[in-house]
Amino acid sequence: MASPSTRYRLTVTPIEKDGLPCSGRCTIEMEHRAQRDWMRLLECAPRLAGFSGDERAAVLIAAQILRDVVQRHVDEPNHPLAAHAATLNTALDALDSLHGPA
């Protein structure tokens, strides 16, 4: 049975010196099917000493994306991340523990 997932669209837009979004072709958009609900994770995550709110969200979401990519390709021995899966999962578990209940 397939795991439930939530689809997200991520948009990255540089901000100009005047605080406005850049103009022209400068936005990166991608879609990601996540195994966990990022909104719930962020709602439940405690504040982290030494991290701004934006940094906290970035670390949480980046770790979730990398975990999902590693998991999706776990059974593909020739995938570029396969050789690093164990090390990555250990690092991702450590990052997840930052966001766990205090």
Side-chain angles (χ1 to χ4, degrees), residues 4-17:
S5 63
T6 304
R7 220 170 97 200
Y8 292 95
R9 175 170 291 129
L10 297 125
T11 303
V12 179
T13 304
I15 298 172
E16 298 291 342
K17 291 180 183 176

Side-chain angles (χ1 to χ4, degrees), residues 12 28 50 63 68 79 86:
V12 179
I28 301 166
D68 289 342
H79 191 275

Side-chain angles (χ1 to χ4, degrees), residues 67 70 74 81-93:
R67 183 179 297 282
V70 169
V74 72
L81 293 178
H84 307 288
T87 304
L88 284 169
N89 284 325
T90 299
L92 292 168
D93 288 345

Side-chain angles (χ1 to χ4, degrees), residues 22-96:
C22 68
S23 58
R25 295 179 54 163
C26 57
T27 297
I28 301 166
E29 272 196 6
M30 63 179 225
E31 288 194 20
H32 179 78
R33 188 167 298 279
Q35 294 303 309
R36 298 181 70 191
D37 184 332
W38 299 346
M39 302 308 281
R40 296 283 179 247
L41 292 173
L42 283 168
E43 288 170 357
C44 296
R47 291 183 181 191
L48 297 174
F51 288 86
S52 71
D54 287 343
E55 290 171 334
R56 182 180 127 230
V59 168
L60 188 145
I61 291 169
Q64 294 304 311
I65 291 171
L66 187 53
R67 183 179 297 282
D68 289 342
V69 172
V70 169
Q71 184 61 36
R72 254 182 224 115
H73 300 286
V74 72
D75 295 326
E76 299 173 29
N78 293 327
H79 191 275
L81 293 178
H84 307 288
T87 304
L88 284 169
N89 284 325
T90 299
L92 292 168
D93 288 345
L95 287 174
D96 284 350

